[in-house]
Amino acid sequence: MSDPTPFELTLERIALIRRMVVAWNAASEGAPIIHPDAPYGSLDRDDDIFNVTGDDEGAEEEHRAMGDALAVFLQHAVLKPGRYQYHNPLAKLSSTAVSDVFRDGETGETPEHITFEVTPAHLALIPRLQVRWDIEADGPAIDPAQPYGAGVEPESERLHREMQPAMQIFLRYGDLAPGFFRKGAAGWETA
């Protein structure tokens, strides 16, 4: 049964998606997660939302809407395979709840700049990522038990762990216009 109420992916929500900080959730099989302490880049979530939306009253509501916005974006945005660079926001953030696949286990350091090759294999898995609301982290996350849905396995553990930088790049550089979407039996569809 599909939801009759359309969800609006606005320019502001796309701007917040571009600011999202993707970390690694080591629970279960592991999966990407939006950093629970700094989902949009700083430790002041509501101020980050206000800086994009200009609404100082609706930050909590807008943050909750970002779970659906992320799911829509992952399912519908497009990105070409290739080599990408980004400033790693995890270099300045720490958390005991999440990690970074690039963090050195001995020194605890992570590089400030990442250069990463996004392949067709990464891009095939991205729309399959199962977004859920992590109640404990109070934010969107990928289901660590079944990150790509029931019965779907990546071709290697390396490819699976590379989904953290692949997803970070996808959120920064993926292309999707604002619009209305409905959640149906097969996922999010254009409304």
Side-chain angles (χ1 to χ4, degrees):
M1 182 169 175
S2 65
D3 183 355
T5 308
F7 173 79
E8 185 176 9
L9 184 67
T10 63
L11 282 173
E12 291 84 4
R13 288 176 177 159
I14 293 170
L16 286 169
I17 285 169
R18 300 224 184 277
R19 291 176 169 221
M20 284 183 161
V21 176
V22 181
W24 187 255
N25 178 357
S28 192
E29 299 299 315
I33 186 171
I34 302 305
H35 198 292
D37 301 327
Y40 310 107
S42 83
L43 297 175
D44 190 341
R45 181 194 79 188
D46 291 354
D47 194 47
D48 288 344
I49 293 170
F50 171 75
N51 286 335
V52 170
T53 66
D55 181 3
D56 59 357
E57 298 294 320
E60 180 64 32
E61 182 180 325
E62 195 61 28
H63 179 62
R64 296 291 288 175
M66 292 309 294
D68 288 342
L70 178 61
V72 165
F73 195 86
L74 291 173
Q75 197 169 359
H76 290 277
V78 293
L79 181 74
K80 291 183 179 183
R83 194 169 188 82
Y84 293 86
Q85 293 183 335
Y86 66 95
H87 175 76
N88 185 5
L90 296 172
K92 293 185 176 140
L93 296 170
S94 65
S95 176
T96 56
V98 296
S99 64
D100 178 7
V101 296
F102 295 110
R103 192 168 304 278
D104 184 294
E106 292 180 24
T107 66
E109 294 182 15
T110 192
E112 285 191 39
H113 298 282
I114 304 292
T115 301
F116 184 78
E117 183 82 24
V118 177
T119 68
H122 297 117
L123 295 173
L125 287 174
I126 283 176
R128 299 190 68 93
L129 288 168
Q130 301 296 300
V131 178
R132 66 177 176 81
W133 192 262
D134 186 316
I135 295 169
E136 187 177 314
D138 190 30
I142 304 304
D143 183 349
Q146 295 182 328
Y148 312 104
V152 179
E153 296 290 329
E155 60 191 52
S156 69
E157 177 64 25
R158 182 176 142 225
L159 177 65
H160 176 57
R161 291 185 60 79
E162 288 175 349
M163 292 307 291
Q164 177 196 329
M167 183 173 157
Q168 184 72 74
I169 289 165
F170 192 82
L171 298 183
R172 295 257 171 97
Y173 299 110
D175 188 31
L176 181 63
F180 289 91
F181 297 84
R182 275 198 179 82
K183 190 168 188 177
W188 287 96
E189 305 162 349
T190 55

